[in-house]
Amino acid sequence: MNHYDVKTAFLNGDIIEELYMKQPEGFVKPGEEQKVCQIKKALYGLKQSARSWNQKIDSVLKTNGFKQSKADLCLYTKKYDDVFVYILLYVDDLLICGNAEIIKKTADMLNQHFEIKDLGEVSLYLGIQIERDKHGNFMLSQTNKIQQIVSEFGLTDANGCAIPMHIDYLSITGEENLLNSNEQYRQAVGALLYIANTTRPDIAAAVSILCRRVSSPRKCDWTAVKQVIRYLKETINLKLKLKAVDNLQLVGYVDADWAGDKSDRKSNSGYLFKLGEGTISWLSKKQGSVALSSTEAEYIAAALASQELVWLRQLLSDLHMPCTQSTTLYEDNQGCIKIACNEKISARTKHIDVRHHHLRDLQTRGIIDLEYCASEQMLADVMTKPLARDKLHNISDQLGMYIET
């Protein structure tokens, strides 16, 4: 998989609107000072530039036989004989995946339309460090970003921490001891959010909880943010491993922490999906309404996870790895499974918002197979609440997070 950069990408875009600009300095001829220039190509700084560039490269790729993914509009695929080539586009950064011959052929095609720079085999993409071992496994980490955060918030000499958040943090209520400004808090949480969403599922729950206080953070919230940073410092060499296996089967885990937020008694949803032995998607999110029971909280969480499941199945289909059978979604609440499998409406379920019954429809259609998983084996538990050290480390190992020795 090779990394390419398009030089001065926005300048390749075509402007279809009627736009004008002042003549540049040194270009004005005597007697023609009142004239202006009509813009026909995109310039940096124009509102239209990013969209124009995207339309340009999209047109070039489709003209040359590439097909745009339905699930991810930044993904393009093409088949050369029996070999597929994939292009992942982010503004002017491209990843091209395929065998060496096809990658070069694709790069040569792009060079006919744009000036691109070959950065070699991908090692850093959007702040994510990518390594590959001799077995073809990928290791994702963000060591540089973590070091930057530690330094930026003055924790270089601070001690590390074994867990990202204390178990009793959610029990802290009240609005006392607010910070004078939320600027630094917002900056720290924003930086942590990107890390949590890309390579570190072990801090996803903690960051999700801290995000709820960005408008009015307390001193205890700022202390909790620094604890997450100290935990990242302690585990800076932890990497997320995407292992190459023959049977790439998609499975999901979903869980909920009923009434976990003590301030409003709303529950926390959490899910994660694994493809083969690699963890590829996860989310920790507070539910929008108060659940009246643990079963209802689990049902709402499963409905949320089902949306991601449908999207992942579509993405795999676009990658020419279609899921021909139902996808297993593991749930640790028997009542939730029974509601999903039962089309009857009872007094206990009639108040549940109809959008959550999307889960029941997917179960009926054979897209999802909701199966019971004992709470002790529920990996998504790490997405719903802070965990003790031993349990956190045990789940992290099962997620494919490890320190290379």
Side-chain angles (χ1 to χ4, degrees), residues 373-391:
C373 172
S375 297
E376 297 76 18
Q377 300 172 348
M378 175 48 66
L379 301 184
D381 198 28
V382 73
M383 297 291 143
T384 62
K385 56 184 177 294
L387 300 178
R389 181 179 63 179
D390 291 343
K391 188 169 185 179

Side-chain angles (χ1 to χ4, degrees), residues 79 150 242 279:
K79 187 175 183 180
V150 170
L242 302 180
T279 304

Side-chain angles (χ1 to χ4, degrees), residues 125-180:
Y125 190 67
L126 305 181
I128 302 173
Q129 294 159 253
I130 304 172
E131 304 172 56
R132 194 171 187 178
D133 63 19
K134 60 182 180 181
H135 303 294
N137 304 316
F138 285 96
M139 280 75 69
L140 310 183
S141 62
Q142 288 175 281
T143 304
N144 295 339
K145 182 65 176 177
I146 293 173
Q147 289 175 336
Q148 178 186 338
I149 293 174
V150 170
S151 174
E152 181 179 353
F153 295 100
L155 297 173
T156 303
D157 297 326
N159 293 327
C161 192
I163 55 175
M165 179 174 280
H166 289 302
I167 298 176
D168 58 354
Y169 174 79
L170 284 174
S171 63
I172 302 176
T173 58
E175 298 296 323
E176 299 82 11
N177 299 320
L178 296 179
L179 296 178
N180 295 328

Side-chain angles (χ1 to χ4, degrees), residues 249-252 309 313 323-329 362-371:
Q249 185 178 3
L250 179 68
V251 296
L309 184 148
R313 286 172 61 97
C323 299
T324 57
Q325 298 178 340
S326 59
T327 300
T328 300
L329 184 62
L362 294 174
Q363 173 86 6
T364 303
R365 292 162 53 193
I367 295 176
I368 286 180
D369 182 16
L370 208 58
E371 290 190 11

Side-chain angles (χ1 to χ4, degrees), residues 173-328:
T173 58
E175 298 296 323
E176 299 82 11
N177 299 320
L178 296 179
L179 296 178
N180 295 328
S181 171
N182 67 352
E183 182 178 356
Q184 190 178 37
Y185 184 90
R186 293 171 69 97
Q187 291 174 347
V189 170
L192 293 174
L193 189 61
Y194 183 65
I195 294 177
N197 288 339
T198 50
T199 61
R200 296 296 297 267
D202 54 330
I203 67 168
V207 175
S208 173
I209 293 168
L210 293 171
C211 283
R212 304 167 195 172
R213 300 294 313 185
V214 291
S215 60
S216 55
R218 302 161 297 185
K219 291 182 179 179
C220 62
D221 300 319
W222 178 239
T223 301
V225 167
K226 291 191 289 186
Q227 179 175 338
V228 177
I229 299 176
R230 288 166 49 216
Y231 170 75
L232 289 176
K233 179 184 177 183
E234 180 73 14
T235 59
I236 193 169
N237 294 319
L238 206 59
K239 302 175 183 179
L240 182 62
K241 185 175 184 178
L242 302 180
K243 188 176 181 180
V245 295
D246 294 331
N247 183 22
L248 288 177
Q249 185 178 3
L250 179 68
V251 296
Y253 296 82
V254 61
D255 195 20
D257 181 29
W258 180 42
D261 195 318
K262 306 304 180 185
S263 62
D264 57 12
R265 309 307 293 180
K266 291 182 180 178
S267 307
N268 300 318
S269 296
Y271 67 70
L272 62 88
F273 288 91
K274 300 187 71 172
L275 184 64
E277 297 183 18
T279 304
I280 61 171
S281 178
W282 58 86
L283 179 70
S284 176
K285 184 177 181 179
K286 183 179 178 180
Q287 294 181 4
S289 58
V290 177
L292 301 182
S293 65
S294 60
T295 294
E296 183 179 336
E298 297 279 358
Y299 189 74
I300 294 174
L304 177 66
S306 70
Q307 299 174 38
E308 181 74 3
L309 184 148
V310 171
W311 179 79
L312 287 173
R313 286 172 61 97
Q314 177 63 61
L315 182 62
L316 290 173
S317 178
D318 292 340
L319 290 169
H320 309 287
M321 296 186 294
C323 299
T324 57
Q325 298 178 340
S326 59
T327 300
T328 300

Side-chain angles (χ1 to χ4, degrees), residues 12-207:
N12 293 288
D14 299 316
I15 295 296
I16 59 175
E17 298 86 359
E18 189 174 336
L19 296 177
Y20 298 92
M21 61 174 283
K22 293 180 180 180
Q23 295 185 62
E25 293 183 12
F27 185 80
V28 182
K29 295 181 180 179
E32 296 183 352
E33 293 83 359
Q34 76 285 0
K35 291 186 176 181
V36 294
C37 298
Q38 183 178 4
I39 300 177
K40 296 187 176 181
K41 284 285 187 178
L43 298 175
Y44 282 87
L46 288 179
K47 293 181 179 179
Q48 298 92 335
S49 295
R51 176 62 174 164
S52 298
W53 157 243
N54 182 264
Q55 290 176 329
K56 182 70 174 182
I57 192 169
D58 177 78
S59 174
V60 168
L61 291 174
K62 288 180 178 178
T63 300
N64 285 273
F66 281 86
K67 183 179 179 181
Q68 189 177 34
S69 167
K70 296 177 182 178
D72 188 341
L73 299 181
C74 295
L75 175 66
Y76 294 82
T77 64
K78 182 179 179 179
K79 187 175 183 180
Y80 290 93
D81 297 327
D82 294 329
V83 180
F84 288 102
V85 62
Y86 304 93
I87 295 180
L88 188 62
L89 171 68
Y90 185 84
V91 191
D92 58 351
D93 279 315
L94 293 89
L95 292 184
I96 303 179
C97 182
N99 62 40
E101 180 182 353
I102 297 301
I103 290 177
K104 185 179 184 308
K105 186 175 181 179
T106 303
D108 291 341
M109 178 274 292
L110 290 171
N111 252 324
Q112 296 175 7
H113 301 274
F114 319 109
E115 185 179 358
I116 65 173
K117 182 179 179 181
D118 187 354
L119 302 177
E121 188 171 349
V122 61
S123 59
L124 182 67
Y125 190 67
L126 305 181
I128 302 173
Q129 294 159 253
I130 304 172
E131 304 172 56
R132 194 171 187 178
D133 63 19
K134 60 182 180 181
H135 303 294
N137 304 316
F138 285 96
M139 280 75 69
L140 310 183
S141 62
Q142 288 175 281
T143 304
N144 295 339
K145 182 65 176 177
I146 293 173
Q147 289 175 336
Q148 178 186 338
I149 293 174
V150 170
S151 174
E152 181 179 353
F153 295 100
L155 297 173
T156 303
D157 297 326
N159 293 327
C161 192
I163 55 175
M165 179 174 280
H166 289 302
I167 298 176
D168 58 354
Y169 174 79
L170 284 174
S171 63
I172 302 176
T173 58
E175 298 296 323
E176 299 82 11
N177 299 320
L178 296 179
L179 296 178
N180 295 328
S181 171
N182 67 352
E183 182 178 356
Q184 190 178 37
Y185 184 90
R186 293 171 69 97
Q187 291 174 347
V189 170
L192 293 174
L193 189 61
Y194 183 65
I195 294 177
N197 288 339
T198 50
T199 61
R200 296 296 297 267
D202 54 330
I203 67 168
V207 175

